Amino acid sequence: MTFEDFLIPKTLDEAREALETLGDRGYALAGGTAFQYVADRPGATAVDITRLGLRGIDRTADGFRIGATTTLTDLVRYRAEGWVLDRVATRIPTHQVRNISTVGGNISRLFPWSDLPLALLVLEGRVVVSSDEERTYEALEFFTAQPLNRFGPGTLVTAVIVPAVAPPLGFGFKKESTTNAAFSLMTAAAAITLAGDRLDKVRLAANAALPVPMRLTEAEAALEGRPADPALFEAAIERGMAGLEWHGREGMSDEFARHLAAVILRDVLEEALRAAKGGAE
Ligand SMILES: Cc1cc2nc3c(=O)[nH]c(=O)nc-3n(C[C@H](O)[C@H](O)[C@H](O)COP(=O)(O)OP(=O)(O)OC[C@H]3O[C@@H](n4cnc5c(N)ncnc54)[C@H](O)[C@@H]3O)c2cc1C
């Protein structure tokens, strides 16, 4: 997209008002790493949203509230008990992209390579959206459709909320690419909550080999309530993958993508289970 004008509002209200007035011509610009993927529009005007006071990470009673213009590098550098988003953000290439890409930008326009949505889906995070009023969406609802297509002009993501992760909750994340800076072939995330030696809650999501980030609810249902035994994972994954179209990328065949997906999904479930047990095998 080529911009014909550029506005730098100083408050959320100013930014929302400018975007509402501009309508289809307005483009909320955060890190600006995705506008090359968006078609030109006559009179396109960028509205910089990086000076609205939406950057930063706050520890809350049970987790973290992350402002929408917090950068991916901020996520990598942040340290706190129960913080896992550094493990996701550090796998998004490259340093330059991480330095300017924002949390809000990463989740508002979904691509096959979008990584943060996977973490939000399995951790059952929430997304705070500001339009005429403020509304908080569960991640599952927020990611059921391309978020930008659902919200009208002037609607902005202002924050995301994720829980702190500690046993009996464990998190797993894995991404497979041909080189560090290449687009992902297959990305997956899992979260497991244990109740004694049973799988109380299982959340599993995939992207890259799928067109958009998606939860594999059939696999989750096949595991919940069952013994915490990795031997059960393979059959549950098969069930969860059935009926979905797995796409090969970077020259790989669809058949390869499907096989890779099964392997990576198992890896993240095993990682989440180890973490849920406190690192014990
Ligand atoms: C070479 C390259 C490789 C990449 N690889 C990966 C990868 O492997 N994994 C990954 O997850 N990401 C990857 N990214 C980054 C990702 O694709 C997005 O470009 C990035 O996360 C968007 O963040 P941004 O702050 O730059 O958003 P912008 O480009 O500024 O905005 C993206 C879209 O979201 C809208 N938007 C931004 N902020 C908000 C908000 N607060 N509320 C509502 N709408 C908003 C914008 O209007 C725009 O439509 C890569 C980027 C590049 C350039």
Side-chain angles (χ1 to χ4, degrees):
M1 171 181 285
T2 310
F3 295 116
E4 294 180 19
D5 206 352
F6 198 97
L7 304 177
I8 309 179
K10 294 287 191 312
T11 66
L12 179 60
D13 285 347
E14 254 182 65
R16 288 200 43 251
E17 204 179 307
L19 286 163
E20 245 168 30
T21 308
L22 286 161
D24 283 348
R25 290 182 295 128
Y27 184 98
L29 191 79
T33 61
F35 70 81
Q36 73 271 27
Y37 305 115
V38 182
D40 274 337
R41 297 170 210 160
T45 301
V47 178
D48 183 329
I49 60 163
T50 62
R51 297 164 209 215
L52 313 179
L54 298 176
R55 182 173 177 179
I57 305 170
D58 291 318
R59 186 73 168 90
T60 60
D62 54 358
F64 306 93
R65 184 183 169 102
I66 306 148
T69 56
T70 304
T71 66
L72 301 182
T73 296
D74 294 337
L75 301 189
V76 174
R77 293 200 171 141
Y78 185 71
R79 292 284 174 272
E81 198 90 357
W83 177 248
V84 292
L85 293 188
D86 55 326
R87 287 163 50 195
V88 180
T90 200
R91 290 298 326 274
I92 298 177
T94 58
H95 278 93
Q96 292 98 322
V97 169
R98 289 194 296 270
N99 284 344
I100 55 172
S101 250
T102 65
V103 170
N106 194 265
I107 66 166
S108 295
R109 186 181 287 276
L110 301 179
F111 295 100
W113 57 83
S114 303
D115 286 325
L116 286 178
L118 285 187
L120 293 189
L121 279 169
V122 301
L123 294 172
E124 300 189 317
R126 285 173 288 150
V127 182
V128 185
V129 173
S130 173
S131 56
D132 290 338
E133 53 184 25
E134 187 176 278
R135 186 173 159 195
T136 301
Y137 290 81
E138 298 296 329
L140 188 59
E141 187 188 353
F142 185 80
F143 296 121
T144 45
Q146 180 67 265
L148 277 175
N149 293 346
R150 174 144 35 114
F151 301 121
T155 302
L156 287 172
V157 170
T158 53
V160 301
I161 296 166
V162 288
V165 178
L169 169 64
F171 173 73
F173 178 81
K174 190 164 180 184
K175 179 167 171 173
E176 192 74 15
S177 51
T178 50
T179 63
N180 180 49
F183 284 114
S184 179
L185 301 172
M186 168 66 196
T187 313
I192 289 179
T193 310
L194 288 175
D197 56 4
R198 301 218 154 242
L199 301 165
D200 184 38
K201 195 194 271 187
V202 178
R203 295 290 176 260
L204 183 63
N207 200 15
L210 293 171
V212 283
M214 230 178 256
R215 275 219 351 235
L216 275 65
T217 48
E218 291 283 320
E220 296 170 359
L223 290 169
E224 283 179 352
R226 309 281 311 276
D229 179 359
L232 300 175
F233 290 166
E234 198 173 326
I237 288 167
E238 263 311 306
R239 195 166 141 186
M241 289 180 64
L244 296 175
E245 286 184 23
W246 300 88
H247 298 288
R249 300 193 186 278
E250 310 275 311
M252 306 294 167
S253 67
D254 291 351
E255 191 189 356
F256 175 86
R258 199 180 192 290
H259 179 75
L260 183 65
V263 173
I264 303 287
L265 287 164
R266 190 179 168 134
D267 284 348
V268 292
L269 281 173
E270 289 182 357
E271 186 185 4
L273 180 57
R274 275 196 303 277
K277 289 178 175 172
E281 284 302 323

